[in-house]
Structures are given as C-alpha cells and as structure tokens.
Amino acid sequence: MSERNSVRITRGQIGQIGILIGSVSLILALVSFLWGGLNTLTIGALVVAIIALVLWAIILPEEVQALFTGRQMRQSTLAILSTAILIGIVTTAYVVVQRANIVGDMTIDERFSLSDITLDLMDAVARNTRDIQITAFYSAGDIALREVDDQYFQLFEEASQGRLHVVYIDPEEQPGLAAPYANALMSEYYVFASFVEPDGSLGDTIPVQITGLQEENIAQALSILMASGQFTVYFETGMGELDPLDNQQQGMSLLNNIMRQNGLVTNPVSLSELAATGEQMPVDASALVIAQPRRQMTSEEIAILDAYLANGGSVFIAADAMLTDDLFMAPDSEFNQYMWDHYGLRMTDMIAVDLVSSSESQLSILSAQVFANNSIGANINLEGQPETATLFHIARAVEINDEPPVQNGRIIMTSNESWGERDWAAIFQQNQFSFDSATDTPGPLTTVGWAFDEETNAKVVLVGDGDFLTNGRVQSPAGNSTLFLDAVGWMTGFTEEVTFEPRAYQTTPVIFVGGQLLDAIAFGTLVLMPGILILVAAGLWLKRTRQ
C-alpha cells in the first residue's frame, strides 16, 4: 500500500472520535431514560458514552484541562460538544414541559379549550371541599387511546385548580387494583370519577362512558358526582298527583329517573299524612314537587307547607285546569290566597288560548315569550332550536303581583294574539272557545311564574299546566323537561354548584394528536436532525483526514 493511500490517524483525531461517540451515546442515553426509564438501551448507551469520554480524556488531556480552565478548545471539538449539549438541554426541556401538565391554548378560536359550560362546572369542582380522582384503566394495547384521553384529563385537571387528579391503572399488571371495578370493566366502562375521602379512600364513584365526546362525557359524570346525595326532592302524593314511579304515559317516571341519574335523591311524601301525625316536612327536603293535584289543599296541609317555606324550603307547583268543584288553587281557595299574600303569585280562572303560538290546537300553546334573565328560562326558546320550546295543553293563566311582598317574576308568557278563556264548560264539554270582550282577558298571559323570599330563602315556581310533566309529553318538545329540570336546579341550589345535565355542547375540542406522534416529531426535530448534522460533519472530517 502506497503512502498516499494509507490512512494516518493522529492522537488528536482519535480523541475527537471519542468525544463524538461519547456525545452521541450520552444523548441517546438521556433520551432513552426520559422516554423509557432505566432500561437496557439506557444503560448500554451510558456505558459507551463513559468509555468514549474516558478515551478522549486519556488521549487529549490538554483539551479536557482546557474545558475546565476556560482555555479555548479546538474548534472541531468545541462544535461537537456544544451541539451535543444543546441537543441534551432542548430534549430535557421538552420532556420536562411535556410531563409538567402545563395546559395552554394558542388558537384564536380556542379550539383546544373547555367550553364555558364545562368551565362553570369546574369552578364548582374547585370550590368543593372534597378532592376528585379520575381512575382510568388502560392496558398496554390501549396506549394510543390513553394518550388522547389524557389530553382531555389534563384540561380538566388544570381547570379544577388542584381539586381533580388522574390515576392510571393497567388492569393486566395490577389486577388487584382493578378487581373492584371488574363488572364495570366488563361492561366497557374504563374511566371512573370518585370523591376522595379524608382517609384517602375513594367514596362515591360514577362510571364515565367515553363515547368519543370526551369533554361532554367527563363533564356529565362530574356533574352527577357533584350532586350525588346532596339534594333530596320530594314528590307530594296525597292529593292524587302524578306518580313519579309510574312508567305509563300518564306517569312521571321519566323525569324522576333523570333526576336520580343526575345524583338527586327522590322520595314520596304526603302532606295529609304528615298533618294526621303532627309531623313536618323532612329536614333534608331540598324541594317539594306538587304535580297535577286533583283537590284543594286543606288548612293543615297549608300550615305544613308554610312552615317548610319559612325554613327556606322550595316548592314546584304544576296545576291543571279541571272541570271540578274541588279545583286545586281555585281563585277563591285558601291556598291560592296564601300564595298571593306571601309570594305575589296565584292561579286565575282563565284558560290560555293562543291563535299564533300553538301546536295541534289553539289550546296547545307554545312558549311565545320567555324571560331568559334567570336560570329557569335561560335554556328555553333558544334561537334556531325549536325543540327547546315548551308545549302546554289546556293551561291556566298565572297572575303575578307587580307590587309583590317578595321578589317574583314571569318566566313564560303567551303571544299578543292570545286571550284568557273563562267559559270552561264550553271548552271541556263542547270543545268550543271564542273571545268574549265582556268576560275574557286579552293576552299576553303568564303561564309560568316564580317567587323568591330573600329573608327565608323560600322559592316557588308556579306553572298553569301539569300534563307537560307526564311521560307522554315531557320529551316532545324537549323544552318541557328543560323547564322542570332547570326549575328544580334553581330551587335546590343545584345550578349554583353545577349545570344540571350538561347539554349545551355544540362542538367538542378538535381531536388531539397522539403522544406517540408528538414524541416522534420531537425526536426528529430535537435529536435526529441535529444528529444527522453531527454525522455529516464527522464524515467530512474523516474524508479530509484521508486527503
């Protein structure tokens, strides 16, 4: 072999090769440790890095000395070491930030932020005195699903101000921890929301059904959890009212089930039985529902209700027009006068007829005008959503005192083309009605009113129809159930804590990119591209040494 073609490697070149191999191996060890922990690759790369750097120190001790004494190193060695240090710093910063659960949204339209309705819920979670744990089960094959869900969990964690945290469990590697959830896991529930008790154990637990609408699914479960066991609603049953357990068309089981599914406790109560035994309303009663009563209230029952309201109770009354001598809240009845004297609300002797805002007949009236300045009417008659209207069938008009003893107001009214029909016999016996200026009252008329006593915190909602609560009518249109549920939420104080049955989600955040893809992008940007530059530089250096 000629001298020209021979390769001569100097001591300095061997040292530079050592620092090159050591730097690359050190970066590889760092990346492997940060992404995968202490594994074989991490240990192997670290050993190679140590050997290579020791080799560099033995062969070029003067450069090592220059590194610590501040003397200038050779430009080639400095470039390699500087690049390696830069890659290490940037990679470390990326992984630390990624794991720090820092949440931010830089998009103009806030596509990666929780909606306002969810943020209201999370404000309530932050104010709550108990922490909440999200327990999520993912096996090794569910990593991609976990990465997408995790980014939603991070948004909820951030919005909770430390009240909510997430625990991940692999059911295959930790079967003991998964055992209490076995039945739910078999039913394809894999996320659960629980209150954390003072001793660290988990209390009330709600399964979260993930359907691909992660924000809505998680918010719904948290809403149920927040309300669980805190509010009890009683249904009055002693005056022939709607049965909350009856699943027939004229029953009220649909609304009762919705309330229970949202964490409210519901129980029956009879004012007449309480009066007979000298008892009062249960102390845990958050609200009382009187749905379609079929007789007048006695003085003893009024006394029980008055005591309940005086102690901050709430009552929802939905009374139908009935052609009977014992009409509930008849204009001259004792209870109707009680409501007028104490709350500035009372039933009239008029049935609302609406010529323009009606459905199958002019007696089936729609919510023509809604006062949306309170939580009861806020979700009724939403623009562009006709299903959010309410529909009453043969509804009584409600009178509101404009100079009331307490705060009160209107929620729903008829249109200007309506009137209050006083000839009930013609309606019920002949199905005939027409405006008589001598006896009837022109609209608009109030069909739903409210009252609030600031001194006692008593709340009253009065509706001139009871049929809209029945299973056969409550879902069509959806505004019927919205009116009742939001009224219950207002009376119990539920809507001050969370939004009852979250439903105002028009869109969900854009699906996030999976963490594996983000890691691949980061690796290519932070490690692979600079590494290629180092290798290219090393190749050029070796080529020049051969010349």
Side-chain angles (χ1 to χ4, degrees):
M1 181 179 294
S2 65
E3 184 178 349
R4 183 176 181 178
N5 294 328
S6 63
V7 177
R8 291 182 298 175
I9 301 178
T10 65
R11 186 168 61 92
Q13 292 170 342
I14 294 176
Q16 288 183 339
I17 293 174
I19 191 174
L20 174 63
I21 295 175
S23 299
V24 172
S25 300
L26 191 60
I27 293 171
L28 181 60
L30 176 62
V31 173
S32 176
F33 176 75
L34 291 175
W35 262 288
L38 190 63
N39 52 35
T40 303
L41 178 60
T42 303
I43 297 174
L46 186 60
V47 170
V48 172
I50 293 173
I51 293 174
L53 293 175
V54 169
L55 178 64
W56 168 58
I58 293 174
I59 295 177
L60 295 175
E62 64 276 8
E63 287 194 358
V64 177
Q65 183 181 2
L67 177 64
F68 294 99
T69 60
R71 297 175 182 176
Q72 185 178 7
M73 294 185 295
R74 294 181 181 179
Q75 292 183 354
S76 56
T77 304
L78 179 61
I80 293 173
L81 190 58
S82 299
T83 303
I85 292 173
L86 177 61
I87 294 173
I89 292 174
V90 175
T91 302
T92 303
Y94 168 78
V95 176
V96 170
V97 171
Q98 184 193 45
R99 294 183 176 182
N101 195 27
I102 298 175
V103 179
D105 186 354
M106 302 300 291
T107 58
I108 295 177
D109 56 354
E110 298 183 339
R111 290 177 296 164
F112 296 95
S113 300
L114 296 177
S115 63
D116 290 340
I117 191 173
T118 302
L119 291 176
D120 290 341
L121 167 65
M122 297 314 296
D123 285 342
V125 170
R127 296 193 305 268
N128 189 46
T129 57
R130 289 187 290 177
D131 288 345
I132 293 176
Q133 175 176 306
I134 297 289
T135 307
F137 293 85
Y138 302 91
S139 60
D142 299 325
I143 296 301
L145 176 62
R146 167 178 166 169
E147 288 175 345
V148 173
D149 291 346
D150 176 69
Q151 295 178 79
Y152 287 95
F153 295 151
Q154 289 184 33
L155 293 177
F156 279 88
E157 280 187 303
E158 178 71 15
S160 74
Q161 302 177 33
R163 279 296 180 192
L164 182 148
H165 67 277
V166 182
V167 173
Y168 293 105
I169 297 175
D170 187 330
E172 297 176 359
E173 295 185 358
Q174 300 168 291
L177 297 178
Y181 303 87
N183 292 335
L185 290 172
M186 292 179 62
S187 300
E188 299 184 351
Y189 289 95
Y190 61 91
V191 178
F192 303 86
S194 308
F195 277 126
V196 180
E197 300 299 336
D199 61 358
S201 63
L202 299 182
D204 295 335
T205 298
I206 301 295
V208 184
Q209 185 175 16
I210 302 296
T211 65
L213 303 176
Q214 280 90 337
E215 179 185 353
E216 183 174 355
N217 299 150
I218 298 168
Q220 174 72 4
L222 291 177
S223 175
I224 295 172
L225 181 66
M226 290 289 292
S228 181
Q230 295 188 37
F231 305 98
T232 302
V233 177
Y234 283 85
F235 287 87
E236 214 293 321
T237 60
M239 291 181 281
E241 292 95 341
L242 298 176
D243 186 351
L245 301 180
D246 185 358
N247 58 10
Q248 302 298 314
Q249 290 289 303
Q250 290 302 312
M252 199 177 166
S253 61
L254 283 177
L255 286 174
N256 185 37
N257 290 338
I258 290 175
M259 294 167 67
R260 291 182 174 181
Q261 290 166 5
N262 279 272
L264 297 177
V265 178
T266 63
N267 286 313
V269 69
S270 171
L271 293 179
S272 61
E273 292 181 4
L274 294 178
T277 57
E279 298 178 80
Q280 298 295 321
M281 280 287 295
V283 293
D284 65 342
S286 303
L288 173 66
V289 176
I290 303 176
Q292 205 180 69
R294 297 182 177 274
R295 65 167 175 81
Q296 291 189 31
M297 190 176 292
T298 66
S299 299
E300 293 77 13
E301 293 167 340
I302 295 173
I304 294 174
L305 186 61
D306 177 52
Y308 170 62
L309 291 171
N311 288 324
S314 300
V315 60
F316 179 95
I317 302 171
D320 269 337
M322 298 179 182
L323 198 61
T324 174
D325 294 334
D326 200 19
L327 178 67
F328 181 82
M329 291 190 77
D332 58 351
S333 68
E334 181 181 356
F335 183 59
N336 207 42
Q337 188 62 45
Y338 166 83
M339 292 297 296
W340 184 257
D341 292 340
H342 289 78
Y343 299 100
L345 306 175
R346 64 183 174 191
M347 288 288 188
T348 70
D349 60 350
M350 298 181 290
I351 293 177
V353 180
D354 202 321
L355 299 178
V356 297
S357 185
S358 52
S359 182
E360 58 263 26
S361 79
Q362 294 169 345
L363 293 174
S364 298
I365 59 173
L366 295 165
S367 46
Q369 303 178 58
V370 175
F371 292 83
N373 57 349
N374 57 67
S375 59
I376 304 176
N379 296 307
I380 300 173
N381 280 19
L382 297 180
E383 185 177 356
Q385 301 181 50
E387 70 279 3
T388 61
T390 60
L391 177 60
F392 298 151
H393 181 67
I394 310 183
R396 296 173 68 179
V398 174
E399 186 176 358
I400 310 295
N401 189 347
D402 292 328
E403 296 182 359
V406 297
Q407 294 184 42
N408 67 11
R410 298 167 175 81
I411 299 172
I412 297 178
M413 297 185 70
T414 61
S415 74
N416 294 331
E417 301 298 321
S418 63
W419 76 84
E421 178 64 56
R422 284 188 166 87
D423 191 351
W424 289 24
I427 291 177
F428 286 106
Q429 296 175 357
Q430 304 172 22
N431 194 34
Q432 294 181 359
F433 46 88
S434 60
F435 180 70
D436 185 344
S437 59
T439 58
D440 298 334
T441 300
L445 306 171
T446 302
T447 54
V448 183
W450 64 273
F452 172 56
D453 188 338
E454 288 184 321
E455 292 186 3
T456 64
N457 286 322
K459 297 176 181 178
V460 177
V461 177
L462 185 60
V463 185
D465 180 49
D467 283 334
F468 84 101
L469 297 173
T470 63
N471 296 334
R473 294 182 179 272
V474 72
Q475 292 181 308
S476 181
N480 287 353
S481 61
T482 300
L483 170 62
F484 176 75
L485 294 173
D486 285 355
V488 170
W490 174 71
M491 291 189 304
T492 59
F494 182 61
T495 51
E496 296 177 4
E497 300 296 327
V498 294
T499 300
F500 201 115
E501 197 184 25
R503 55 183 173 273
Y505 296 89
Q506 302 302 317
T507 60
T508 58
V510 177
I511 294 298
F512 293 100
V513 177
Q516 289 181 326
L517 181 56
L518 288 175
D519 288 344
I521 294 172
F523 180 80
T525 304
L526 304 176
V527 179
L528 186 59
M529 293 176 64
I532 290 175
L533 291 177
I534 292 178
L535 294 176
V536 169
L540 292 174
W541 172 76
L542 289 174
K543 181 179 180 181
R544 290 179 180 178
T545 60
R546 297 172 61 92
Q547 295 178 350

